[in-house]
Amino acid sequence: MRALALCAGFFLLSACHSPPPAPISQRPPPPSEKIDYHLVSQGETLFAIAWRYEKDVDKLARANGLRPPYTIYRGQRLTLDTTRIPPPRYTSVAPKPAPVSSSKTSTKTKVVEVPPKTPVKVTRPPPKSTASLPSNWNWQWPTEGRVTKTYNSDPLFKGIDIQSLPGQAVMAAAPGIVVYSGEGLRGYGRLVIVKHSEVYLSAYAHCRTLLVQEGQVLKTGQKIAEVGGDPANNKRLYFEIRKDGKPVNPLAYLPKR
């Protein structure tokens, strides 16, 4: 009996000293949930939404039946599935009244009134074609400084950090058209997005001052902003290059230093 009591005490003591469960912070997060649609908020533009979800803006517009100037509305639901692009939507037009006959009779046309929607800021798209831009060009560095953080597979970091000086000029890395200039994308601060062709875009984030407007045509090396908009590090510029809407490694395109 004494041996049984000792064994029971041993097991009870072992149970009391068993290791606690791992804290929540050390547990693997659940798999991310696929997002199939986006609800438009006040002040958003189609280019900003396309950039946020790494979509080609033209395909996103076609998938939602949008035509230039890509007007979107607060509360509008946009599909993010650009793999299935529906045929063009045609707006129905009420028939014109029939001409008055010799008997002085006429046909009345019933008009259906559609409640007006409150438009969000209209995206000013670039020209349908970038044919006016140089067809042959080379990438240039957007500002002076050393690279302190490089591109990786982290979905929250798809570009490079360039450590520069507050107020240093931010320049267009290639000829292009400004398709976004503002601070409506969370995590980018004051941001400029430039379209260089039907394939390539570049982005210049956390700027102190923006010096260009949407729709403006740029030359390589033209000053578009100034470094210094990140409160945590006012010496850095965040720079991205995207190909067909997807981020690519900028160091594979920029000239070697």
Side-chain angles (χ1 to χ4, degrees):
M1 292 293 295
R2 184 176 180 182
L4 290 175
L6 288 174
C7 291
F10 174 76
F11 286 117
L12 181 61
L13 187 63
S14 300
C16 292
H17 288 80
S18 59
I24 294 177
S25 60
Q26 296 180 8
R27 297 175 185 173
S32 59
E33 186 175 335
K34 183 180 178 181
I35 301 175
D36 297 318
Y37 66 91
H38 174 83
L39 291 179
V40 178
S41 300
Q42 182 67 39
E44 287 188 311
T45 66
L46 193 67
F47 269 100
I49 295 170
W51 189 269
R52 176 179 176 183
Y53 294 103
E54 299 181 6
K55 301 291 183 181
D56 179 276
V57 68
D58 295 324
K59 292 181 180 179
L60 183 62
R62 292 199 300 271
N64 288 278
L66 299 175
R67 298 178 181 178
Y70 299 158
T71 305
I72 55 179
Y73 303 91
R74 182 176 63 248
Q76 183 177 356
R77 177 171 170 146
L78 298 178
T79 179
L80 299 175
D81 185 1
T82 57
T83 60
R84 298 180 179 180
I85 299 178
R89 298 179 184 177
Y90 296 97
T91 304
S92 59
V93 179
K96 294 182 179 180
V100 179
S101 65
S102 59
S103 60
K104 297 184 180 180
T105 58
S106 62
T107 303
K108 293 184 178 181
T109 302
K110 184 178 180 181
V111 179
V112 179
E113 295 185 357
V114 179
K117 297 181 180 179
T118 303
V120 177
K121 175 185 175 185
V122 176
T123 301
R124 295 186 293 275
K128 290 279 292 182
S129 172
T130 52
S132 60
L133 299 174
S135 57
N136 294 319
W137 42 266
N138 295 316
W139 293 96
Q140 300 296 324
W141 285 85
T143 194
E144 296 293 332
R146 61 186 180 88
V147 176
T148 55
K149 191 170 182 179
T150 56
Y151 172 93
N152 56 49
S153 58
D154 187 339
L156 299 179
F157 200 88
K158 292 292 188 177
I160 59 174
D161 269 348
I162 303 174
Q163 197 76 354
S164 188
L165 295 172
Q168 181 74 32
V170 177
M171 299 165 290
I177 302 166
V178 179
V179 293
Y180 183 85
S181 179
E183 48 186 320
L185 267 73
R186 188 176 66 179
Y188 284 91
R190 291 186 178 92
L191 168 71
V192 177
I193 301 176
V194 179
K195 184 174 183 178
H196 305 287
S197 68
E198 298 304 313
V199 176
Y200 288 103
L201 297 98
S202 62
Y204 314 74
H206 301 295
C207 299
R208 182 176 72 179
T209 306
L210 303 180
L211 304 175
V212 293
Q213 297 180 343
E214 294 170 13
Q216 186 172 341
V217 179
L218 303 175
K219 297 180 179 180
T220 303
Q222 184 173 338
K223 185 176 180 179
I224 59 176
E226 292 180 350
V227 175
D230 185 355
N233 181 0
N234 65 355
K235 297 181 179 180
R236 78 154 174 151
L237 172 72
Y238 176 74
F239 177 68
E240 276 191 34
I241 294 177
R242 294 199 178 182
K243 181 178 181 181
D244 294 324
K246 301 297 183 182
V248 293
N249 185 0
L251 295 181
Y253 295 83
L254 295 173
K256 304 296 181 181
R257 284 182 171 176

